[in-house]
Amino acid sequence: MPETTPRGLAGLAFGGDYNPEQWPEETWQEDVRLMREAGVTMVSAGIFSWALLEPAPGTYDFGWLDRLLDLLHDNGIRADLGTPTVAPPAWFYRAHPEALPVTAEGVRYEFGSRGAICHSNTDYRAAAANITTRLAERYGTHPALALWHVHNEYGVPVSACYCDSCAAHFRRWLATTYGTVDAVNEAWGTAFWGQRYAGLDQINPPRTTPTVGNPAQALDYKRFADATMRENFRAERDVLHRLSPGVPVTTNFMTALSQCDSVDYWAWGREVDLVTNDHYLITDGRRTHVNLAMAADLTRSVAGGAPWLLLEHSTSGVNWQPRNPAKAPGQMARNSLGHVARGSEGAMFFQWRQSRRGAEKFHSAMLPHGGTGTRVWREVTELGASIDSLAPVRGTRTEADAAMVWDWQSWWAQNLQWRPSEDHDPRERADAFYEALYDRHLTVDFAHPEADLSAYPLVVVPALYLATEAAGNNLREYVENGGTLVVSYFSGIVDEHDAVHEGPYPGALRDVLGLTVEEFSPLLAGERVGLTGPDGSGRSGDVWTEFVVPRGAEPVWTYTDGLTAGHPAVTRHRLGEGTAWYVSTRLGPEGLDAVLGRAAEDARISPRADLPRDVEVVRRTGESGTYLFAINHTASDAKVPLDAHGTELLTGERAAGRLAVPAGAVRIVRLDTP
C-alpha cells in the first residue's frame, strides 16, 4: 500500500514549485544553495515540462531532470515530482487538434495557455499514460522522490468539453449510470417541454439552446465532467502505483469555494493517497484570514480529518486578480501557520524563483526578482526556521467543535438557471455561516450531508438545495439522538435529479424542522424586512422570505412587514433529544450570531468571551502531544488563556496562565501532559 505522507521527510514540508527549465543550468547551484539557507525540505518539479521531456513524439530527453533530481538529493531536498499532463506540447495538438476542448457554444479553444484538454479524448489519454509510464519507470525508485503529483489543479480553467467525443462518452456514462433511456427520461423529467428521448444515441451534451435547457441534464453533465477528469487521474495514479510502489500519489486540489466550483472534492478525496491543496487569498474586501481558515478546514474534512498538505500558496501578492496587493509584514507566516494549525503537514508555495517571462511573472515567489535583500526573502527564511521547529506537530490531528454540511453537487444544482432569486448565493451563505462560527472561536469540520454527524454537538446547514432522502433521514436521526441543527432557507428542496420532493417544501427536511413552507417570497434588490421576537427586535433580513407554517416547531422570530408579515422567520423544533433551528431569511452578521448563540446554548457549547475578535485558537492533538496554535490577526497585542503549562515552540519559552501573542504574531504551545 502507498504511504500517505511524503517519503523521506522527518518534519514538515517547506518549499515550492521549482521550474529550473526557465533558467540556465548554472543558476541551479545557486538555487539549491539558497534553498538550504531558507530551510527548504521539498520542491515540486516537472509539472509543466512535457514539451521538454518529450520534445517530439516518442523522442525523450530526461538528462536535465536526471541532473536536477540528483542535485536535489545531494543537498537533502525531496522532490514532489509532477506528471506534466496538464500541458501537452504544441506538437501533440498539431497532430490531435480534436484534443482541444469545445465550449457549449461550439467554439474550440486554441493552444497557448494551460489545461486546454478534452478529458474524453482517447489520444490525450494514451499520450498522458505514456509520459506517466516513462517517468515512473525512470524515477520510481529515485532517492529524492517523496511524492508523485499528477496533473495540476483539475477543473481549472476547463472542466467540461462539449465536443462529439464527449457526447459519445456521455452516452456511455448514462448507460452505465442509468442502464436504459427510459430511466434517463424519468430522472430528467423529459416529459416537460417534449424533451423525451427514444434512444441514448439521441442525447448530446447540454450545448447552447435558445432558452434554458433541461436542468437535470445540465446537472448530470457536471457529474459526468467531474467523473471523466477523475478517470484520467486514476489512470495515471494506477500507473504510478504499479511502477513506483509505496510512493504516495496526489493531485493538488483547490477546495476554497472562492477558487473552484466544478469539482466534487468529497469524491476526489477518496482517490488520492494524500490530500493536498492550493490556496490563494481573494482580495475582495473580505477578511482574507477567515477564507483561509475555511479552506483549510474544508481541505482537512475532505481528507477525512487526517493531516493534509498545503502544496501552493503565495509569499505575497498574486497577479491574476483585478487588484493584487502585497501581503503585510508577518502575513506570510500567519497564512502559512494558519494552514498548519488546521491540519497541513507543511507550507509550500508557488513558486521558488519568480519568473521573468510568461503569464505569471508578477506573481510573488520565495526568491523574488529583488533577490535576497528583500523583505519577502527575509520572511521566507524566518518561516523556514519556524517550520523546522514544528516537526513534533507532524501526524497530529486538528480538533473541531462543530460541523458544517456542504455538498458540491447541491451547489451545482443550486447554481443552474431559473431559480427563484439570483440574489441567493449558496457560497455567500456558506461564507456567512462559517464567519459567524469563526467569530465564536469554533473550529469547524465540514461534512457530506449523508456522513456520520454524531461527534458534533452543533451542525449548521447554510445551503443544501439538493438533499437526498438519505440526507434528510441522516439529519433527522442526528437531531433525534441529541444534536443541535441550524438550517438556512431554500434547503431540502430537490432530490438528486433536481426534482422537487413530493409534498410541501422543504421536502427532505420537513420532518426534522417541524414545519412546511407554503411559498417562497424572494425580495427585490435593496428590499428588507423587519423581524421581532424575544431577542430579534430590531433585526432584519433581505434577499429571501417564506410563508412558514409550523408543524411542531415554535416561532422564535416573526416577520413584522412585507408579504410574510406575521409568519415565523426563525423557528426552533424540539425533536427527540435534540433541537433543529430554521432561518427563512438572509440574516446579517448580528442576526446570524444571535441565532447561532441560541443554538450553541442548546448544544451546550460555552462562549469564548475571553478571546478577542480575529485572534484564532486551534488545537492539534496526537501521540506526540497537544499543540495550541494562537494566531493574532489584529494590530494589538493579545492574551490567550491556557488550561495547562507548556513550551512555546517558536521561541522555546515556557508558557502558563495567559499566553502573550504580540500583534500580528503566531505562538504555538506544546502543552504539558498531565
Side-chain angles (χ1 to χ4, degrees), residues 264 266 405-412 447-449 463-464 466-468:
D264 181 355
W266 293 127
V405 168
W406 180 256
D407 182 30
W408 277 275
Q409 295 195 23
S410 177
W411 192 19
W412 298 344
H448 187 275
L464 192 63
L466 186 159
T468 62

Side-chain angles (χ1 to χ4, degrees), residues 308-515:
W308 54 280
L309 178 60
L310 175 67
L311 208 52
E312 285 185 29
H313 73 313
S314 66
T315 58
S316 192
V318 296
N319 72 316
W320 38 263
Q321 298 183 82
R323 287 159 290 280
N324 298 282
K327 289 186 177 181
Q331 189 177 2
M332 179 203 307
R334 291 196 302 277
N335 290 169
S336 301
L337 298 177
H339 285 288
V340 174
R342 296 174 186 273
S344 177
E345 297 283 67
M348 304 280 287
F349 294 90
F350 181 85
Q351 58 182 324
W352 162 252
R353 181 184 282 270
Q354 196 167 13
S355 299
R356 289 186 57 224
R357 297 176 174 85
E360 295 187 283
K361 56 183 169 288
F362 298 118
H363 190 296
S364 61
M366 299 177 76
L367 181 59
H369 291 310
T372 57
T374 59
R375 173 180 67 88
V376 166
W377 173 255
R378 289 190 293 273
E379 291 194 20
V380 163
T381 57
E382 291 168 4
L383 178 59
S386 296
I387 293 291
D388 182 62
S389 70
L390 298 182
V393 173
R394 189 168 184 249
T396 59
R397 293 192 173 210
T398 301
E399 298 178 356
D401 304 299
M404 178 179 290
V405 168
W406 180 256
D407 182 30
W408 277 275
Q409 295 195 23
S410 177
W411 192 19
W412 298 344
Q414 166 68 75
N415 284 342
L416 296 173
Q417 294 172 290
W418 284 14
R419 300 312 186 216
S421 174
E422 65 178 15
D423 295 327
H424 170 48
D425 179 356
R427 180 202 153 191
E428 183 278 331
R429 281 295 80 189
D431 286 346
F433 270 78
Y434 183 89
E435 189 165 2
L437 294 169
Y438 179 96
D439 284 341
R440 299 188 74 82
H441 300 286
L442 300 178
T443 302
V444 176
D445 277 348
F446 285 78
H448 187 275
E450 297 178 18
D452 180 9
L453 302 170
S454 59
Y456 306 103
L458 175 65
V459 172
V460 301
V461 182
L464 192 63
Y465 163 75
L466 186 159
T468 62
E469 183 178 345
N473 292 337
N474 187 49
L475 293 173
R476 187 191 69 247
E477 291 171 6
Y478 164 75
V479 174
E480 288 175 337
N481 291 329
T484 300
L485 181 72
V486 182
V487 177
S488 188
Y489 62 89
F490 206 42
S491 293
I493 307 304
V494 300
D495 66 11
E496 60 269 32
H497 303 300
D498 198 46
V500 174
H501 285 285
E502 288 190 20
Y505 308 131
L509 304 184
R510 283 193 301 264
D511 293 343
V512 67
L513 296 175
L515 54 82

Side-chain angles (χ1 to χ4, degrees), residues 169-180 184 200:
H169 192 183
F170 184 43
R171 294 176 198 124
R172 294 193 297 272
W173 182 87
L174 291 172
T176 300
T177 303
Y178 291 103
T180 67
V184 174
L200 293 176

Side-chain angles (χ1 to χ4, degrees), residues 114-310:
R114 66 170 192 175
I117 296 164
C118 168
H119 283 277
S120 294
N121 183 267
T122 55
D123 293 311
Y124 167 76
R125 290 182 168 206
N130 177 67
I131 191 64
T132 298
T133 299
R134 298 282 179 164
L135 286 166
E137 288 173 341
R138 192 172 188 93
Y139 302 113
T141 59
H142 195 285
L145 182 63
L147 181 68
W148 284 107
H149 179 309
V150 171
H151 204 265
N152 184 72
E153 296 176 347
Y154 279 98
V156 179
V158 178
S159 59
C161 171
Y162 297 82
C163 72
D164 289 341
S165 293
C166 288
H169 192 183
F170 184 43
R171 294 176 198 124
R172 294 193 297 272
W173 182 87
L174 291 172
T176 300
T177 303
Y178 291 103
T180 67
V181 70
D182 289 340
V184 174
N185 282 319
E186 175 64 23
W188 290 1
T190 56
F192 185 77
W193 278 359
Q195 296 171 348
R196 189 169 183 82
Y197 298 100
L200 293 176
D201 61 320
Q202 297 175 356
I203 299 175
N204 279 324
R207 295 165 175 155
T208 301
T209 53
T211 185
V212 175
N214 188 311
Q217 178 188 16
L219 177 58
D220 262 349
Y221 204 74
K222 289 179 179 291
R223 292 171 173 141
F224 159 74
D226 181 57
T228 302
M229 291 188 293
R230 220 161 43 247
E231 284 178 18
N232 287 355
F233 167 76
R234 283 196 297 265
E236 293 188 45
R237 178 202 64 192
D238 292 350
V239 167
L240 297 169
H241 279 170
R242 176 169 55 85
L243 297 175
S244 184
V247 179
V249 180
T250 191
T251 185
N252 44 339
F253 296 165
M254 297 192 76
T255 63
L257 306 186
S258 54
Q259 291 177 254
C260 183
D261 63 358
S262 60
V263 174
D264 181 355
Y265 286 115
W266 293 127
W268 282 80
R270 297 189 291 268
E271 302 290 353
V272 297
D273 301 324
L274 169 67
V275 167
T276 61
N277 194 54
D278 298 351
H279 181 263
Y280 293 98
L281 302 182
I282 303 299
T283 52
D284 59 359
R286 307 184 195 206
R287 297 154 71 201
T288 56
H289 56 278
V290 179
N291 176 274
L292 183 153
M294 183 177 179
D297 284 345
L298 190 48
T299 307
R300 181 186 68 252
S301 302
V302 167
W308 54 280
L309 178 60
L310 175 67

